[in-house]
Amino acid sequence: MKQAPDYPEGRGLLAGRRVVVTAAAGTGIGWWAARRCAEEGARVLISDLHQRRLGEAAARLAEFSGAPPATSLCDVTQQSQVDALRDSALAALGGVDVLINNAGLGGYAKLVEMRDEQWRAVLDVTLNGTMRVTRAFLPHMMERGSGAIVNNASVLGWRAQEGQSHYAAAKAGVMAFTRCVAMEAAPFGVRVNAVAPSLAMHEFLSKVTPDNLIEQLTQREAFGRAAEPFEVANVMVFLASELSSYMTGEVIPVSSQHP
């Protein structure tokens, strides 16, 4: 199966829901998560670190939803900006039903060549950022007695790949964080789950990843191709919707790659 499936039609799975997506600018999973949520009937606020890209993403999203989404600049490594994101979302949407933690930072570095600042940067965005945003929004959801949080992990949280010790450690942390917070949130009616993509190809990834590595990773996929970002976003929508009402603390692989 080397051809992607047809793009899905909206089914109203998130009708009336209010959704926040971090790192939603550009062409990656976050952008597609925001688009799929909007197409499923949600009101969406998108956040990103880059103002120009965030504005462009909002304009593109308006083409599919009929109205521009709310936006908020946010650096997830800064708690003050995360708190401002929460306040902006509550003001713009009147409440938040779904939080999609998509912000993450990758890179390639062998451990013996890795600098402390490289290690810290990847963990601070990918793991600590997920923690900060969740910590900011969770009390609101717990007080309301409902909500769904979807974190973006990676199969590298389980599997080994050269040059990815910092990223893999961060994503494994996201998985463990997801499971633990799910236990704390469940008594309040809030579900916390994660997706773990293997290879989802988009424009930015293709620019920063060597062609030979992409080819190697693609060959590991049973379908003989990378996932389309919307295929990962589809699973995020499922976890955000009531179709997954009995799931919490789960990490769902979005992958055709097997050891």
Side-chain angles (χ1 to χ4, degrees):
M1 178 180 161
K2 291 195 175 183
Q3 184 173 351
D6 293 337
Y7 191 79
E9 295 183 3
R11 296 172 172 82
L13 295 178
L14 298 177
R17 300 294 175 87
R18 298 158 296 183
V19 179
V20 172
V21 186
T22 65
T27 60
I29 292 171
W31 150 251
W32 285 99
R35 174 175 168 175
R36 290 293 298 118
C37 287
E39 290 171 338
E40 292 294 345
R43 293 172 57 205
V44 179
L45 181 145
I46 59 174
S47 175
D48 203 274
L49 177 63
H50 305 282
Q51 185 167 15
R52 178 185 58 80
R53 290 174 54 199
L54 183 61
E56 292 172 351
R60 290 167 56 209
L61 194 58
E63 297 175 8
F64 303 101
S65 62
T71 63
S72 180
L73 283 170
C74 181
D75 178 350
V76 298
T77 70
Q78 303 299 315
Q79 187 64 50
S80 61
Q81 294 192 34
V82 170
D83 292 342
L85 167 63
R86 175 203 57 212
D87 295 344
S88 295
L90 294 179
L93 303 177
V96 175
D97 303 297
V98 176
L99 169 65
I100 297 180
N101 279 312
N102 177 67
L105 178 67
Y108 178 92
K110 293 185 178 180
L111 183 61
V112 295
E113 301 168 352
M114 190 182 299
R115 303 184 308 277
D116 282 2
E117 53 265 33
Q118 288 177 286
W119 177 272
R120 284 195 297 264
V122 170
L123 266 74
D124 202 18
V125 174
T126 306
L127 177 56
N128 297 343
T130 298
M131 179 278 293
R132 290 187 191 99
V133 179
T134 300
R135 184 174 61 186
F137 280 86
L138 186 57
H140 166 71
M141 293 182 173
M142 293 169 70
E143 183 178 352
R144 293 178 57 246
S146 65
I149 298 174
V150 183
N151 298 324
N152 195 356
S154 167
V155 294
L156 291 185
W158 293 309
R159 302 171 187 169
Q161 186 172 311
E162 177 186 316
Q164 296 294 310
S165 61
H166 48 357
Y167 186 70
K171 290 300 191 180
V174 170
M175 292 178 174
F177 174 80
T178 297
R179 291 188 289 266
C180 293
V181 177
M183 296 302 100
E184 298 177 16
F188 299 89
V190 180
R191 300 183 298 107
V192 187
N193 294 290
V195 297
S198 54
L199 180 63
M201 188 52 58
H202 52 85
E203 182 181 345
F204 178 74
L205 182 63
S206 64
K207 287 181 179 179
V208 300
T209 307
D211 291 341
N212 61 333
L213 179 57
I214 292 177
E215 183 178 354
Q216 292 173 22
L217 295 175
T218 301
Q219 290 174 352
R220 297 181 190 176
E221 299 290 336
F223 290 137
R225 64 173 178 86
E228 295 292 334
F230 76 78
E231 293 179 288
V232 179
N234 287 342
V235 182
M236 289 177 159
V237 167
F238 165 71
L239 291 174
S241 77
E242 289 304 308
L243 291 180
S244 59
S245 59
Y246 196 68
M247 296 175 63
T248 197
E250 298 293 342
V251 180
I252 309 300
V254 187
S255 168
S256 68
Q257 181 188 120
H258 302 281

